[in-house]
């Protein structure tokens, strides 16, 4: 899959010794024009490159937001077909800063993070409505969309461009959220904000209105807590640890 990451430079006939990069038969000169594969960068004969096969080049999408289809050799077309549904494209492997300048990907990361939190509720729900089963069915074969937030497959690329992927995931999120907020079992797995001690159940998938402690995972209203305030649950653990240390020190002295 690492070969998917790079943009390859176009090769030259001289470098290829006037031979096809696929089958090594002579190309160029009297043998007819050589055809460029826009993925491998190599030059090919008309058997190995039909001039009819086109694909979206992943590196161009992730690096430049360029979704145009480009001509490729037969072998590359086949390779792309073989792996088209595999979660083979890791957005941050292409560019760690992708979310700061490609808005589509930033929006997708948001909804996928929400789905990840939501899936923890749905997949463990055991009510007759069986929301977990429904969620599994709707994401069948595409589980990576809520498990590995940065990963995409080749078939996702046109759906990213058209906005359809974001739409589908948003719908799925809305479906799941509706279930969780109306389900007695799921609600019990929600959180109570320890900062304001209100009785309203809150959920970590409500990214806009909640804050999740990165250390202990406790969930608060975003207006009650942020990363600059001390988390009450973490503080409690700290003081408990301190008490234990003091107690053992005391008993050491007694001996
Ligand atoms: Zn050839
Ligand atoms: Zn439920
Ligand atoms: Zn609160
Ligand atoms: Zn905490």
């Amino acid at each position: 899959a690492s070969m998917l990451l790079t943009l390859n430079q176009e090769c030259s006939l001289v470098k290829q010794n006037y031979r096809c990069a696929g089958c090594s038969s002579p190309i160029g000169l009297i043998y007819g024009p050589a055809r460029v594969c826009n993925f491998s960068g190599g030059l090919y004969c008309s058997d190995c490159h039909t001039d009819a096969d086109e694909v979206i080049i992943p590196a161009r999408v992730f690096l430049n937001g360029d979704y145009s289809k480009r001509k490729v050799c037969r072998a590359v077309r086949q390779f792309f077909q073989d792996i088209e549904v595999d979660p083979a494209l890791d957005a941050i492997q292409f560019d760690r800063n992708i979310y700061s300048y490609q808005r589509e990907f930033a929006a997708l990361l948001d909804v996928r993070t929400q789905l990840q939190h939501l899936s923890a509720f749905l997949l463990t729900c055991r009510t007759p409505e069986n929301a977990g089963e429904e969620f599994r069915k709707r994401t069948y074969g595409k589980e990576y969309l809520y498990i590995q937030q940065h990963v995409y497959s080749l078939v996702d690329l046109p759906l990213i461009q058209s906005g359809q992927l974001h739409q589908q995931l948003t719908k799925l999120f809305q479906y799941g959220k509706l279930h969780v907020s109306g389900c007695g079992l799921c609600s019990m797995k929600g959180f109570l904000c320890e900062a304001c001690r209100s009785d309203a159940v809150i959920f970590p998938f409500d990214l806009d209105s909640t804050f999740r402690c990165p250390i202990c995972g406790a969930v608060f209203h975003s207006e009650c807590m942020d990363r600059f305030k001390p988390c009450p649950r973490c503080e409690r653990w700290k003081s408990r640890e301190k008490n234990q240390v003091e107690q053992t020190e005391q008993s050491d002295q007694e001996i």
Side-chain angles (χ1 to χ4, degrees):
S2 65
M3 66 179 290
L4 288 165
L5 287 172
T6 46
L7 270 176
N8 294 302
Q9 297 282 321
E10 190 177 324
C11 212
S12 75
L13 275 174
V14 177
K15 266 197 198 147
Q16 286 186 204
N17 234 336
Y18 292 86
R19 288 186 181 279
C20 168
C23 68
S24 302
S25 66
I27 49 171
L29 305 172
I30 55 165
Y31 301 104
R35 292 172 174 167
V36 183
C37 172
N38 284 290
F39 179 73
S40 70
L43 300 165
Y44 295 81
C45 74
S46 53
D47 287 334
C48 297
H49 190 315
T50 63
D51 220 26
D53 294 324
E54 293 182 326
V55 300
I56 297 175
I57 312 287
R60 291 191 184 276
V61 169
F62 290 99
L63 298 173
N64 307 322
D66 172 3
Y67 292 83
S68 58
K69 284 189 161 191
R70 288 162 197 263
K71 291 185 174 172
V72 292
C73 71
R74 211 194 276 267
V76 163
R77 172 79 203 123
Q78 188 58 52
F79 168 63
F80 272 48
Q81 244 162 33
D82 292 344
I83 64 157
E84 68 180 359
V85 296
D86 297 351
L89 309 168
D90 186 333
I92 52 174
Q93 260 194 324
F94 284 98
D95 184 350
R96 284 188 325 123
N97 301 314
I98 186 161
Y99 300 114
S100 59
Y101 67 91
Q102 291 214 45
R103 267 191 299 153
E104 295 93 326
F105 285 100
L108 280 163
L109 178 65
D110 274 350
V111 70
R112 291 175 73 174
T113 306
Q114 289 178 310
L115 276 174
Q116 193 174 38
H117 288 307
L118 185 67
S119 66
F121 289 86
L122 292 176
L123 297 176
T124 55
C125 177
R126 296 279 175 269
T127 51
E129 188 195 330
N130 223 334
E133 201 44 46
E134 180 64 21
F135 186 78
R136 268 199 198 90
K137 235 189 271 167
R138 291 195 191 195
T139 51
Y140 181 74
K142 306 213 85 184
E143 291 81 4
Y144 63 90
L145 285 172
Y146 66 86
I147 296 172
Q148 301 163 275
Q149 296 155 295
H150 307 296
V151 170
Y152 294 89
S153 69
L154 287 169
V155 291
D156 292 330
L157 298 180
L159 303 177
I160 298 171
Q161 187 189 21
S162 67
Q164 273 171 285
L165 185 62
H166 189 264
Q167 252 171 40
Q168 287 168 6
L169 295 178
T170 304
K171 250 193 219 161
L172 183 64
F173 175 68
Q174 284 162 347
Y175 157 77
K177 187 178 163 165
L178 195 68
H179 166 82
V180 169
S181 45
C183 168
L185 266 183
C186 287
S187 297
M188 280 199 299
K189 288 178 277 176
F191 290 76
L192 294 173
C193 176
E194 281 189 40
C196 69
R197 303 187 174 273
S198 134
D199 328 318
V201 182
I202 53 175
F203 297 99
F205 52 75
D206 283 324
L207 292 184
D208 296 335
S209 58
T210 59
F211 170 81
R212 190 182 176 90
C213 171
I215 298 160
C216 72
V219 181
F220 306 91
H221 294 110
S222 50
E223 64 264 31
C224 295
M225 186 60 58
D226 57 45
R227 64 200 174 90
F228 301 109
K229 293 180 188 158
C231 160
R233 207 208 286 186
C234 287
E235 291 292 299
R236 214 162 48 234
W237 281 351
K238 260 187 238 162
S239 69
R240 202 176 296 159
E241 263 170 39
K242 209 176 127 202
N243 282 341
Q244 277 170 355
V245 172
E246 277 167 7
Q247 271 171 15
T248 43
E249 274 171 1
Q250 262 176 14
S251 54
D252 283 353
Q253 282 168 1
E254 280 163 17
I255 294 166

